[in-house]
Amino acid sequence: MGMATATASNCLALAVVLAVSAVAAAAAPPASSAFQRVYAFGDSFTDTGNTRSTTGPYSFGYVSSPPYGATFFHRSTNRYSDGRLVVDFLAEELRLPSYLPPYLSVSASSAAGDRQDEVGVNFAVAGATAIEHDFFARNNLSFDITPQSIMTQLAWFDDHLRRDKKVDVADALFWVGEIGANDYAYTVVARDTIPPKLVRNMAVQRVTTFVQGLLERGAKYVVVQGLPLTGCLPLAMTLARADDRDNVSCVASVNRQSYAHNRRLLAGLHELRRRHPAAVVAYADYYAAHLAVMRSPAAHGFTEPFRTCCGSGGGAYNFDLFATCGSPEVNTSCAQPARYVNWDGVHMTEAMYKVVAGMFFKGGDAYCRPAFSDLLARKAQGKP
């Protein structure tokens, strides 16, 4: 083979390689090309600042105080963690220019004539429930701290749509963070009068009604998180009987409750998919992701699966409900939050949220169904 022939062959081979690479790149578009806006909903696991130090669930009312936010932002941003949440890692995955602003700050800016909906809005509120607040008030179970429910957040979204006529609902990603854990927590003292099964049926019905509402408003891409292993939170571990444990040493009865909730939620989402075939309704399996970490914490970089990083009291969980993170009694945290799963007794560390987010975005259909990569591809192709 002559030099000219060899050169021509090499050029042809290079052209083929480049063509194949171009096709592959087109088949798997980068996350940054998929969504320009995200609208998020949920409770304190997703809230990026809609609450302040005077609000929030139970005795976790010090989110505006240090050491909240110390790891990443180096100050409190009213997130219930030492840093970023799953929804923040979602913004990074999509390469949005900023994290999602909380609705209350956007609403205030809109009233002043400013437009801040450049990346979307976060409507999540710490302490929010799936069931409406009136249900808990009628049963004397309300703390009157966080009266917002998931349907309150839908009303806020409607208000946002009225304020900003440029919102393209069909082009956005809707992220429904975990919601429902507070409902079960509120009714834990009323099991004799309000059975957990009733709470489960009502809570899941409210969530599916909420998602139905998003779809009716034109949403085409929705991701709904299930509940995590709520029985692995130091709050539950502290309050439960010592013999109420499962095979990952968490509170068995509470984890069974979350599992049953998620199964019912999955059935509801399946029905929504059937009724709305033109939309993608994905399920982010928080329970499975959390369980994978609790089964092998060291494999995910954790040495403290149960102890609270920012807490008090020492012992196995370092948790005292009456002296929680950020309170005057607890203004410092552990030296290495990245080694801890739990931040303050109920909420996770940034490190744990990062691991869970990675499972959702990169774990295929093991932790998100359909897979998050498939959702991105379908969006890029314009095929819900």
Side-chain angles (χ1 to χ4, degrees):
M1 180 182 296
M3 181 176 294
T5 303
T7 300
S9 298
N10 289 339
C11 289
L12 178 61
L14 178 59
V16 170
V17 169
L18 292 175
V20 171
S21 299
V23 171
S32 59
S33 69
F35 295 99
Q36 304 304 314
R37 283 185 175 82
V38 176
Y39 295 100
F41 309 84
D43 60 18
S44 55
F45 276 43
T46 308
D47 185 357
T48 56
N50 281 312
T51 53
R52 297 292 185 268
S53 59
T54 56
T55 62
Y58 321 118
S59 63
F60 297 91
Y62 301 96
V63 68
S64 296
S65 303
Y68 281 101
T71 294
F72 182 78
F73 300 101
H74 307 298
R75 61 180 177 83
S76 170
T77 58
N78 295 298
R79 286 166 170 81
Y80 283 83
S81 182
D82 59 314
R84 292 163 291 183
L85 314 178
V86 169
V87 72
D88 295 314
F89 290 109
L90 172 66
E92 293 182 4
E93 179 71 13
L94 296 175
R95 301 179 190 176
L96 299 181
S98 68
Y99 299 118
L100 301 187
Y103 165 73
L104 293 181
S105 68
V106 172
S107 178
S109 296
S110 296
D114 298 330
R115 183 173 186 268
Q116 287 195 2
D117 183 9
E118 298 300 330
V119 296
V121 180
N122 191 337
F123 299 90
V125 183
T129 52
I131 304 170
E132 61 277 2
H133 180 257
D134 287 349
F135 170 79
F136 301 103
R138 288 196 305 270
N139 289 280
N140 298 315
L141 297 172
S142 171
F143 292 95
D144 289 323
I145 295 176
T146 309
Q148 293 89 358
S149 70
I150 192 69
M151 297 309 288
T152 304
Q153 296 174 38
L154 186 61
W156 283 356
F157 179 62
D158 285 341
D159 181 66
H160 180 69
L161 291 181
R162 286 191 293 268
R163 290 172 180 269
D164 191 343
K165 305 297 185 182
K166 297 180 181 180
V167 172
D168 186 352
V169 175
D171 198 53
L173 174 63
F174 288 81
W175 187 272
V176 184
E178 73 102 51
I179 188 81
N182 291 315
D183 299 69
Y184 295 107
Y186 279 168
T187 55
V188 71
V189 296
R191 288 179 178 272
D192 293 336
T193 56
I194 304 177
K197 185 176 180 180
L198 174 62
V199 176
R200 178 170 68 247
N201 292 345
M202 292 179 66
V204 173
Q205 188 272 334
R206 299 312 192 268
V207 175
T208 53
T209 298
F210 170 80
V211 177
Q212 169 78 15
L214 295 179
L215 296 169
E216 289 174 349
R217 285 158 176 78
K220 296 297 183 185
Y221 305 93
V222 184
V223 179
V224 182
Q225 289 183 200
L227 295 182
L229 274 69
T230 50
C232 293
L233 303 177
L235 172 63
M237 302 282 286
T238 300
L239 298 178
R241 301 190 322 270
D243 61 346
D244 185 6
R245 296 292 185 267
D246 56 19
N247 57 8
V248 288
S249 300
C250 297
V251 183
S253 60
V254 177
N255 278 346
R256 284 196 300 268
Q257 179 176 269
S258 294
Y259 182 78
H261 175 101
N262 290 340
R263 283 181 61 86
R264 190 168 185 85
L265 176 60
L266 270 170
L269 296 181
H270 178 74
E271 176 61 19
L272 287 176
R273 293 185 188 112
R274 187 188 67 79
R275 286 157 47 189
H276 297 271
V280 178
V281 181
Y283 175 68
D285 196 341
Y286 213 139
Y287 192 99
H290 197 173
L291 182 59
V293 172
M294 297 308 291
R295 282 176 171 167
S296 304
H300 299 279
F302 299 110
T303 57
E304 294 288 354
F306 294 112
R307 281 177 61 82
T308 299
C309 175
C310 183
S312 62
Y317 311 120
N318 190 38
F319 178 74
D320 182 346
L321 186 59
F322 301 102
T324 55
C325 186
S327 65
E329 298 84 0
V330 188
N331 54 21
T332 60
S333 62
C334 63
Q336 295 181 298
R339 311 297 287 176
Y340 286 67
V341 168
N342 199 276
W343 169 246
D344 62 8
V346 167
H347 311 98
M348 311 299 185
T349 58
E350 177 185 92
M352 178 60 172
Y353 285 130
K354 184 175 184 178
V355 168
V356 170
M359 291 176 172
F360 289 162
F361 307 147
K362 307 295 185 184
D365 61 7
Y367 302 106
C368 189
R369 298 182 291 277
F372 192 72
S373 58
D374 291 344
L375 183 148
L376 294 178
R378 291 167 72 174
K379 171 62 169 61
Q381 297 164 10
K383 298 178 180 179

